[in-house]
Amino acid sequence: MGDRQVPVIGRVSMDLITLDLRDAPHAKVGDRVTLWGPELPVEIIAAQAGTISYDLTCGMTKRVLFVEDEA
């Protein structure tokens, strides 16, 4: 899919989010999504969400698949 950033739309519901993929027409079910990482710091996401990075990182549930890419 590349490095395209898309907005979250609506509210986070439990541990589910909805992304606006209108600008990513080739996106499909099963594509990898990065919530934050080396190119997208969690601090930036937290600031946009009106919270702190600690809240986001500690609020992740075991249902979320964590993948660490080897650099």
Side-chain angles (χ1 to χ4, degrees):
M1 187 62 233
D3 295 329
R4 183 175 306 254
Q5 291 185 16
V6 297
V8 173
I9 56 176
R11 294 187 179 266
V12 174
S13 176
M14 300 297 283
D15 61 351
L16 302 174
I17 60 174
T18 303
L19 302 176
D20 181 352
L21 298 176
R22 287 179 284 190
D23 289 336
H26 299 293
K28 62 186 181 308
V29 174
D31 283 349
R32 182 181 288 191
V33 174
T34 301
L35 299 177
W36 53 75
E39 303 297 321
L40 188 59
V42 67
E43 293 81 9
I44 290 174
I45 303 304
Q48 291 179 352
T51 188
I52 60 173
S53 59
Y54 178 85
D55 284 339
L56 295 180
T57 56
C58 290
M60 299 300 293
T61 69
K62 291 183 180 182
R63 285 182 47 180
V64 176
L65 175 62
F66 288 85
V67 177
E68 289 190 41
D69 291 332
E70 293 184 23

